[in-house]
């Protein structure tokens, strides 16, 4: 007897992972539903990647406009209409979430609205109705981690969601607790909008996971723009007073304490997987102590017909990783030979300059036993970068000494995120530095720095003296 | 130890389709790169599943 279900696939969550899974499943002829309690598009579209990048762009234009006098453009005194800024950002979000809804309709994905909760391993309650499905994909995402002593009220003390609403007036003094990607993107936004910004990081280095040389150059550039950075520092508690938020900071190395006053405090100390109300135990699905629903390379949980993708499955919590895993889960369900077998997952900090990397850092390569040679090309030697008034940073290429295989690429510089795609392809294709060096790159472009970085690994770069 | 398998994503997918363990394939290309042909040859070898 073949049991019949309401759906072939039920996806829980309509974030980047969830909507990719749902659309691909539908494309492959599966009867698909996607349950979402909030707006489609998830954190990325609504309160993450997209609105942050909108604010970053606005801030960058403001900063660039200040330097336009170098080439004779005299702009009148800058005035920022904060309401208009927030409205413009919200409009982009609305357009994109509307786009996802439209794609659901076009692909005949049933959109179920409400909280989803497992009843058993084939049944999910969404709102007050229950639905059955042959396969279920968990894509419930993550939420900001909290910090004791700093109670987020989304007014003075905010998490990343609260920080997306630019206050009017812009806060004079801003503290970012957490020197990771989110902390620095908001530091950059607020700094460009006129705030005096300080970033504190508990660890000895900012942007954990990135290459040491790249981090050093990145930090130098942020500090040059006026952002203060303090590592090995934590925030113990915050108290709201008449003149601002009094935060007790502690140097974790020396134990030295001080109180500093801010008008806005961002808590960006990481994110945690979100499974509240899901009741995965009713389906027999394993959840780790830290709240992750782990999956294998085919995105299967311990229950063979239940899958887990994106932030809730594993680190790194990145939209493009979730998207890939969503496609893999849908294709595996449809019987395709899919697998999450990416050589490397790119990481980006969308400041200016951007910090972007893919593959192994120099240290990681050495730790794994690779003998490496390093290519390095500074944007100060790039004609294109000069015409953009953005010459901070470099392309650093980590290459295996004997085989010439590209192991990792680390970029600090303008549009590093876009340049990086070539590096990602190189890693996936098993390209050598020679392959990149022999590829004609358009001139003048920022992407040429990849070519010269590869040439530099062979000590044959043209626009710098090779040492 | 070393982790990167120098095979294009499409070649890795072909290996899965042919139920060949990509790690067991000897790459004959530059820098040990694995070609479609390398995968097909391995699939035809009875000793490699």
């Amino acid at each position: 007897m073949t049991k019949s279900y309401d759906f072939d696939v039920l996806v829980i969550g309509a974030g980047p992972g969830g909507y990719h899974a749902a659309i691909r499943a539908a494309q492959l002829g599966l009867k698909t539903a996607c349950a979402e309690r909030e707006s489609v598009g998830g954190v990325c579209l609504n309160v993450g990647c997209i609105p942050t990048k909108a604010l970053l762009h606005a801030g960058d234009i403001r900063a660039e406009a200040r330097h336009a006098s170098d080439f004779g453009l005299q702009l009148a005194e800058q005035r920022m209409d904060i309401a208009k800024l927030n409205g413009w950002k919200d409009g982009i979000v609305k357009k994109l979430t509307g786009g996802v809804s439209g794609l659901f309709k076009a692909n005949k994905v049933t959109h179920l609205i409400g909280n989803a909760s497992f009843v058993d391993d084939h049944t999910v309650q969404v709102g007050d109705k229950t639905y059955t499905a042959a396969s279920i994909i968990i894509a419930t995402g993550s939420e900001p981690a909290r910090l004791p002593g700093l109670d987020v009220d989304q007014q003075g003390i905010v998490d990343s969601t609260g920080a997306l609403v630019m206050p009017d007036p812009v806060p004079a003094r801003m503290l970012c607790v957490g020197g990771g990607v989110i902390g620095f993107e908001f530091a950059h936004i607020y700094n460009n909008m006129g705030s005096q910004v300080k970033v504190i990081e508990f660890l000895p280095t900012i942007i954990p996971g990135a290459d040491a040389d790249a981090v050093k150059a990145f930090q130098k550039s942020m500090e040059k723009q006026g952002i203060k950075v303090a590592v090995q520092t934590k925030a113990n508690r915050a108290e709201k007073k008449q003149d601002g938020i009094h935060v007790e900071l502690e140097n974790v190395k020396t134990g030295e304490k001080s109180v500093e006053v801010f008008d806005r405090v961002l808590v960006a100390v990481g994110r945690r997987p979100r499974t509240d109300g899901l009741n995965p135990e009713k389906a027999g699905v394993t959840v780790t102590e830290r709240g992750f629903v782990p999956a294998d390379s085919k995105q299967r949980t311990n229950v063979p017909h239940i899958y887990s993708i994106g932030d809730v499955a594993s680190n790194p919590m990145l939209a493009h990783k979730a998207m890939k895993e969503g496609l893999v889960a849908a294709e595996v369900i449809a019987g395709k030979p899919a697998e999450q077998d990416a050589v490397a997952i790119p990481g980006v900090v969308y400041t200016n300059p951007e910090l972007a990397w893919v593959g192994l850092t120099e240290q990681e390569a050495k730790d794994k036993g690779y003998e490496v040679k390093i290519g390095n090309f500074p944007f100060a030697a790039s004609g294109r970068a000069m015409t953009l008034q953005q010459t901070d940073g470099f392309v650093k290429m980590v290459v295996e000494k004997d085989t010439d295989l590209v192991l990792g690429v680390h970029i600090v510089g303008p549009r590093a995120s876009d340049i990086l795609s070539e590096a990602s392809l190189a890693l996936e294709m098993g390209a050598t530095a020679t392959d990149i060096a022999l590829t004609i790159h358009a001139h003048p472009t920022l992407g040429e720095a990849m070519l010269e970085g590869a040439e530099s690994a062979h000590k044959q770069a043209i626009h710098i003296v090779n040492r | 130890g070393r982790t990167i398998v120098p095979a294009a994503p499409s070649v890795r997918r072909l290996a899965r389709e042919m139920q060949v363990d990509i790690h067991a394939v000897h790459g004959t290309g530059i820098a040990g790169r694995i070609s479609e042909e390398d995968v097909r040859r391995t699939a035809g070898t009875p000793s490699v599943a």
Side-chain angles (χ1 to χ4, degrees):
Chain A
M1 183 192 97
T2 317
K3 201 166 182 291
S4 82
Y5 298 103
D6 296 332
F7 298 103
D8 296 322
V9 185
L10 198 164
V11 185
I12 302 173
Y19 83 73
H20 272 69
I23 291 172
R24 178 55 52 88
Q27 286 170 342
L28 294 171
L30 299 169
K31 192 182 176 197
T32 307
C34 187
E36 173 59 53
R37 63 181 178 188
E38 289 162 21
S39 174
V40 293
V43 169
C44 171
L45 256 58
N46 289 282
V47 288
C49 324
I50 296 297
T52 326
K53 266 81 263 178
L55 291 180
L56 280 160
H57 174 68
D60 281 342
I61 294 287
R62 198 161 184 250
E64 284 180 31
R66 281 189 216 114
H67 297 123
S69 62
D70 292 355
F71 52 83
L73 177 60
Q74 304 294 339
L75 296 169
E77 197 190 339
Q78 289 190 4
R79 198 183 63 82
M80 196 81 221
D81 183 336
I82 299 296
K84 193 159 187 179
L85 171 68
N86 286 321
W88 170 72
K89 172 203 65 184
D90 294 343
I92 295 169
V93 170
K94 206 172 158 194
K95 194 167 183 182
L96 285 170
T97 56
V100 173
S101 290
L103 289 170
F104 274 3
K105 281 195 192 84
N107 285 285
K108 299 190 168 56
V109 172
T110 304
H111 178 199
L112 307 172
I113 299 164
N115 284 304
S117 177
F118 277 103
V119 175
D120 61 41
D121 68 331
H122 280 291
T123 313
V124 176
Q125 181 173 342
V126 182
D128 52 10
K129 291 197 177 123
T130 58
Y131 302 91
T132 59
S135 300
I136 297 164
I137 301 175
I138 300 171
T140 48
S142 62
E143 60 196 353
R146 299 195 181 113
L147 202 59
L150 279 90
D151 296 322
V152 169
D153 59 9
Q154 303 298 29
Q155 297 296 322
I157 303 176
V158 297
D159 61 18
S160 55
T161 302
L164 282 171
V165 184
M166 183 59 63
D168 195 1
V170 171
R173 301 157 298 182
M174 168 90 170
L175 173 69
C176 297
V177 181
V181 175
I182 295 171
F184 268 98
E185 288 187 356
F186 280 110
H188 193 66
I189 290 167
Y190 280 80
N191 180 61
N192 276 343
M193 289 297 166
S195 302
Q196 178 63 246
V197 182
K198 179 171 188 159
V199 181
I200 61 166
E201 168 57 46
F202 183 82
L203 297 171
T205 174
I206 58 166
I207 320 288
D211 182 83
D213 288 338
V215 167
K216 202 170 149 189
F218 172 79
Q219 182 171 336
K220 199 174 146 193
S221 195
M222 290 299 111
E223 286 173 336
K224 194 171 87 182
Q225 294 173 38
I227 296 170
K228 290 193 172 67
V229 181
V231 294
Q232 293 189 297
T233 302
K234 65 171 180 171
N236 289 330
R237 67 182 71 86
E239 198 186 337
K240 280 188 176 170
K241 291 187 179 175
Q242 193 100 44
D243 63 335
I245 307 163
H246 290 232
V247 185
E248 185 190 277
L249 302 178
E250 181 180 340
N251 183 317
V252 294
K253 208 173 157 194
T254 63
E256 201 180 314
K257 288 177 188 168
S258 62
V259 174
E260 292 185 30
V261 186
F262 301 93
D263 304 293
R264 189 163 244 215
V265 176
L266 165 70
V267 181
V269 292
R271 298 181 63 84
R272 57 181 189 190
R274 190 157 77 171
T275 53
D276 55 303
L278 184 66
N279 296 330
E281 69 283 353
K282 289 193 179 167
V285 172
T286 301
V287 180
T288 69
E289 210 168 298
R290 291 180 60 204
F292 287 104
V293 180
D296 64 12
S297 63
K298 292 189 176 291
Q299 305 304 137
R300 292 175 299 214
T301 66
N302 62 308
V303 180
H305 63 273
I306 300 180
Y307 298 72
S308 174
I309 61 171
D311 290 5
V312 74
S314 62
N315 281 314
M317 295 186 180
L318 296 169
H320 43 270
K321 166 184 159 283
M323 292 170 171
K324 167 80 178 182
E325 291 178 353
L327 300 180
V328 168
E331 290 171 11
V332 168
I333 291 168
K336 302 277 179 197
E339 190 171 354
Q340 168 58 304
D341 67 342
V343 171
I345 299 167
V348 177
V349 190
Y350 292 86
T351 46
N352 193 8
E354 292 182 335
L355 169 59
W357 71 95
V358 65
L360 303 177
T361 66
E362 183 177 353
Q363 191 58 49
E364 282 169 348
K366 286 174 178 168
D367 291 347
K368 283 179 183 290
Y370 286 100
E371 252 199 278
V372 299
K373 53 190 177 187
I374 302 295
N376 198 309
F377 185 77
F379 283 103
S382 157
R384 183 66 178 144
M386 281 181 220
T387 66
L388 296 170
Q389 291 182 302
Q390 295 175 43
T391 51
D392 274 8
F394 52 73
V395 168
K396 174 178 173 178
M397 207 170 281
V398 181
V399 181
E400 187 175 27
K401 204 171 178 183
D402 294 337
T403 64
D404 200 41
L405 273 174
V406 179
L407 301 176
V409 177
H410 310 273
I411 309 173
V412 178
R415 300 287 167 189
S417 56
D418 291 324
I419 302 168
L420 191 74
S421 289
E422 180 187 3
S424 299
L425 180 63
L427 277 155
E428 294 296 339
M429 295 296 290
T432 61
T434 303
D435 292 327
I436 294 172
L438 292 176
T439 301
I440 295 179
H441 289 62
H443 176 78
T445 58
L446 297 168
E448 280 176 288
M450 279 288 291
L451 183 158
E452 286 274 63
E455 292 278 30
S456 157
H458 303 142
K459 308 232 179 283
Q460 288 190 14
I462 298 297
H463 295 93
I464 53 168
V465 179
N466 295 278
R467 284 184 240 273
Chain B
R2 297 180 46 179
T3 50
I4 290 177
V5 178
S10 55
V11 172
R12 281 178 263 153
R13 184 166 69 182
L14 176 74
R16 287 193 295 274
E17 276 169 2
M18 303 189 81
Q19 300 188 324
V20 168
D21 177 7
I22 195 77
H23 299 275
V25 179
H26 173 69
T28 57
I30 289 167
R33 198 178 298 158
I34 299 164
S35 68
E36 197 179 308
E37 196 45 47
D38 293 332
V39 171
R40 293 189 192 281
R41 190 179 347 93
T42 309
T45 308
S47 60
V48 182

